[in-house]
Amino acid sequence: MATLTPITESTAHLDLATALPVVRESTTSRVLVNNDLMRVVQFTFDAGEMLTEHTSPRAVVVQLVSGRMRFTVDGDEHLMGDGDIIYLAPGAAHALVADTACRMTLVMVDVAVATGV
């Protein structure tokens, strides 16, 4: 499990393109922030790599930093390019296929913690 990032402490994660390069025929990831409120993960995908359909109990924001991918949410496919963002409501079924080498940042927010519910 990733090290906890205290909510009360700021952090910086620099030079991620060097620290987490796209690896041939692979999907890689690095957890950048991890605490009770949120989790931030950066992924890289080589062309043709995919994540099969799954869900998350958290609200999720996906930003494609670079590349092209097909991102499916609840059966609707979206063609994503550099800088595009998709918001996923908690429980939304989603999957992806990288059409080119890609770098993606995923931010998951625990809605119960964020709203006090």
Side-chain angles (χ1 to χ4, degrees), residues 1-5 11-14 16 19-20 28-35 38-44 58 104-108:
M1 178 157 191
T3 304
L4 288 179
T5 309
T11 62
H13 302 276
L14 308 174
L16 290 172
L20 188 66
T28 59
S29 66
R30 177 168 294 176
V31 176
L32 304 174
V33 176
N34 184 39
N35 57 44
M38 73 171 42
R39 183 175 173 99
V40 179
V41 183
Q42 185 146 111
F43 287 86
T44 63
R58 294 179 170 191
M104 179 185 85
T105 301
L106 184 82
V107 178
M108 295 174 274

